[in-house]
Short mmCIF file of all heavy atoms in Angstrom, two decimals:
data_model
loop_
_atom_site.label_atom_id
_atom_site.label_comp_id
_atom_site.label_asym_id
_atom_site.label_seq_id
_atom_site.Cartn_x
_atom_site.Cartn_y
_atom_site.Cartn_z
N MET A 210 180.84 195.48 54.51
CA MET A 210 180.87 194.57 53.34
C MET A 210 182.20 194.58 52.67
O MET A 210 182.59 193.64 51.94
CB MET A 210 179.80 194.98 52.34
CG MET A 210 178.39 194.66 52.92
SD MET A 210 177.06 195.54 51.86
CE MET A 210 177.33 194.92 50.31
N GLN A 211 183.02 195.68 52.84
CA GLN A 211 184.31 195.79 52.20
C GLN A 211 185.43 195.37 53.00
O GLN A 211 186.53 195.45 52.67
CB GLN A 211 184.41 197.20 51.61
CG GLN A 211 183.36 197.60 50.58
CD GLN A 211 183.46 199.14 50.19
OE1 GLN A 211 184.18 199.45 49.36
NE2 GLN A 211 182.74 199.88 50.88
N SER A 212 185.05 195.01 54.27
CA SER A 212 186.14 194.55 55.16
C SER A 212 186.10 192.96 55.37
O SER A 212 185.16 192.40 54.87
CB SER A 212 185.91 195.14 56.56
OG SER A 212 184.73 194.73 57.13
N SER A 213 187.12 192.53 56.02
CA SER A 213 187.21 191.01 56.20
C SER A 213 186.40 190.63 57.42
O SER A 213 186.02 191.41 58.27
CB SER A 213 188.69 190.60 56.48
OG SER A 213 189.11 191.21 57.54
N GLY A 214 186.04 189.38 57.49
CA GLY A 214 185.31 188.80 58.58
C GLY A 214 183.81 188.55 58.23
O GLY A 214 183.22 189.37 57.43
N PRO A 215 183.24 187.59 58.90
CA PRO A 215 181.76 187.30 58.44
C PRO A 215 180.73 188.11 59.14
O PRO A 215 179.69 188.23 58.64
CB PRO A 215 181.68 185.73 58.95
CG PRO A 215 182.60 185.78 60.17
CD PRO A 215 183.81 186.64 59.84
N ASN A 216 181.04 188.82 60.24
CA ASN A 216 180.10 189.52 60.99
C ASN A 216 180.20 191.05 60.89
O ASN A 216 181.35 191.55 61.08
CB ASN A 216 180.13 189.19 62.46
CG ASN A 216 179.71 187.67 62.59
OD1 ASN A 216 178.94 187.12 61.85
ND2 ASN A 216 180.36 187.00 63.58
N ILE A 217 179.18 191.80 60.72
CA ILE A 217 179.22 193.23 60.76
C ILE A 217 178.34 193.73 61.86
O ILE A 217 177.09 193.68 61.79
CB ILE A 217 178.67 193.83 59.43
CG1 ILE A 217 179.48 193.32 58.17
CG2 ILE A 217 178.84 195.35 59.43
CD1 ILE A 217 178.89 193.61 56.84
N ASP A 218 178.97 193.99 63.09
CA ASP A 218 178.19 194.38 64.23
C ASP A 218 178.01 195.96 64.18
O ASP A 218 179.02 196.75 64.11
CB ASP A 218 178.91 193.98 65.42
CG ASP A 218 178.96 192.54 65.67
OD1 ASP A 218 178.14 191.77 65.01
OD2 ASP A 218 179.72 192.03 66.41
N ILE A 219 176.85 196.41 64.24
CA ILE A 219 176.55 197.83 64.19
C ILE A 219 176.11 198.31 65.66
O ILE A 219 175.29 197.73 66.36
CB ILE A 219 175.25 198.09 63.26
CG1 ILE A 219 175.61 197.43 61.85
CG2 ILE A 219 175.03 199.62 63.16
CD1 ILE A 219 176.72 198.05 61.18
N GLY A 220 176.69 199.44 66.04
CA GLY A 220 176.26 200.16 67.19
C GLY A 220 176.33 199.38 68.44
O GLY A 220 177.36 198.71 68.75
N LYS A 221 175.15 199.30 69.18
CA LYS A 221 175.25 198.63 70.54
C LYS A 221 175.39 197.11 70.53
O LYS A 221 175.63 196.54 71.47
CB LYS A 221 173.86 199.01 71.28
CG LYS A 221 173.71 200.38 71.65
CD LYS A 221 172.35 200.59 72.35
CE LYS A 221 172.15 202.00 72.80
NZ LYS A 221 170.89 202.21 73.46
N VAL A 222 175.31 196.55 69.32
CA VAL A 222 175.46 195.07 69.20
C VAL A 222 176.89 194.71 69.52
O VAL A 222 177.22 193.63 70.02
CB VAL A 222 175.24 194.64 67.70
CG1 VAL A 222 175.54 193.22 67.53
CG2 VAL A 222 173.63 194.84 67.46
N LYS A 223 177.90 195.61 69.24
CA LYS A 223 179.32 195.41 69.63
C LYS A 223 179.38 195.18 71.15
O LYS A 223 180.02 194.22 71.62
CB LYS A 223 180.13 196.52 69.18
CG LYS A 223 180.28 196.72 67.62
CD LYS A 223 180.98 197.98 67.38
CE LYS A 223 180.91 198.33 65.90
NZ LYS A 223 181.62 199.57 65.56
#
Side-chain angles (χ1 to χ4, degrees):
M210 287 165 60
Q211 298 174 86
S212 64
S213 60
N216 298 326
I217 305 169
D218 292 343
I219 307 295
K221 292 180 179 179
V222 173
K223 297 173 185 176

